[in-house]
Amino acid sequence: MITKEQYFYLRQLDDFKYLTIEQFDNIVNKIQYRTALKNHTLFFEGDHREKLFLIQSGYAKIEQTDASGSFIYTDYVRQDTIFPYGGLFFDDVYHFSAVAITDVGYFSLPMEVYETHALQNINQMKHLCRKYSKLLNVHEIKLRNMVTSSARMRVVQTLATLLLEVTTEEGRLPFPITTIEIANMSATTRETVSHVLKELRQKDIVELKYKTLFYNDKQYFKKFIE
């Protein structure tokens, strides 16, 4: 069961507000609220895709690996929105793992129930289409950025994409990040990331301090995400 406050919190979110009251209440009856500590895995790559998740507090990241066990894809989950959207109405398993990178409070709900009600509601389907379009736009930007041969530029563009995807608090990324994680996202080495960060720090554009990324000049990254 969820609280009255949680009920109204969920109702105003875009992922639910287009549903009828009857549809929403039917979903709410099956929603569970949980808390998890940092480094807890919400689900593993290859698990049966039976639940959708929504992070209310804290942050999580998604990871996908190749056959050797090396990370080949890393991304971060927005608060207040359902995930994973990829594979909705289609896939049977999760294609990546989701791990809490801070302590989190989250909701889980049955995938099948949400899909059934969404299919019966044209306004909800319009919302999902808009959501897919926005996600596609972000991934198109990422793909465009990754094809550049300049490792330095890939690092800068990765920092710009993070700024686009994640709401910063007081000019900083609201969760810890390491040079290794930035390197994985940029398809380059930790040494290259450190070199680029040093250069940007000298220009007072960004700073990575104790795993906290500060954006001192957000305007600098605008051209990389337009």
Side-chain angles (χ1 to χ4, degrees):
M1 293 291 293
I2 63 174
T3 66
K4 181 178 179 181
E5 289 76 15
Q6 289 172 334
Y7 178 96
F8 288 111
Y9 158 75
L10 292 169
R11 184 57 178 164
Q12 56 85 32
L13 297 178
D14 286 344
D15 288 321
F16 295 105
K17 72 180 184 181
Y18 299 101
L19 297 168
T20 66
I21 290 295
E22 292 76 16
Q23 290 173 328
F24 178 68
D25 286 347
N26 183 258
I27 291 175
V28 163
N29 287 334
K30 299 172 176 63
I31 285 179
Q32 295 180 322
Y33 179 78
R34 296 284 186 269
T35 58
L37 298 177
K38 180 181 178 181
N39 296 324
H40 173 78
T41 300
L42 301 180
F43 56 83
F44 289 95
E45 181 179 355
D47 281 353
H48 181 58
R49 194 174 177 278
E50 60 182 359
K51 291 183 179 179
L52 287 166
F53 296 83
L54 188 152
I55 304 294
Q56 182 181 23
S57 61
Y59 293 87
K61 71 175 178 179
I62 58 178
E63 301 172 333
Q64 188 181 50
T65 60
D66 60 14
S68 69
S70 301
F71 290 131
I72 59 173
Y73 179 77
T74 301
D75 208 344
Y76 295 89
V77 177
R78 287 179 179 268
Q79 289 181 334
D80 304 334
T81 185
I82 282 176
F83 78 100
Y85 268 105
L88 205 62
F89 309 112
F90 182 72
D91 288 336
D92 295 322
V93 299
Y94 298 112
H95 293 289
F96 47 77
S97 302
V99 181
I101 55 176
T102 66
D103 294 349
V104 298
Y106 67 94
F107 298 91
S108 66
L109 59 146
M111 182 86 63
E112 184 178 359
V113 175
Y114 186 84
E115 289 176 337
T116 297
H117 288 308
L119 283 171
Q120 296 170 348
N121 189 304
I122 188 170
N123 290 323
Q124 189 66 24
M125 289 302 296
K126 285 181 178 179
H127 161 68
L128 292 177
C129 288
R130 288 193 295 267
K131 185 80 174 198
Y132 270 120
S133 294
K134 290 178 181 178
L135 289 173
L136 181 60
N137 179 59
V138 171
H139 284 287
E140 285 174 344
I141 291 173
K142 287 183 177 181
L143 181 61
R144 180 194 69 197
N145 293 344
M146 286 300 103
V147 297
T148 178
S149 60
S150 168
R152 177 196 176 278
M153 191 56 63
R154 291 200 302 272
V155 174
V156 172
Q157 291 167 339
T158 293
L159 298 176
T161 304
L162 278 171
L163 185 60
L164 172 66
E165 290 188 290
V166 182
T167 302
T168 56
E169 299 175 356
E170 300 176 355
R172 64 179 175 83
L173 211 60
F175 49 77
I177 194 168
T178 66
T179 53
I180 294 177
E181 289 171 320
I182 297 172
N184 288 336
M185 297 172 69
S186 308
T188 188
T189 64
R190 179 181 179 181
E191 290 73 21
T192 297
V193 172
S194 296
H195 179 76
V196 174
L197 288 175
K198 180 180 179 181
E199 175 190 328
L200 295 177
R201 183 172 63 251
Q202 290 173 342
K203 296 178 180 178
D204 198 31
I205 295 172
V206 299
E207 182 177 3
L208 183 62
K209 187 175 183 181
Y210 303 114
K211 298 183 181 181
T212 300
L213 181 62
F214 295 90
Y215 287 90
N216 300 329
D217 185 0
K218 295 181 183 179
Q219 196 67 24
Y220 171 82
F221 296 99
K222 237 183 131 179
K223 58 181 175 291
F224 299 106
I225 53 179
E226 292 180 339

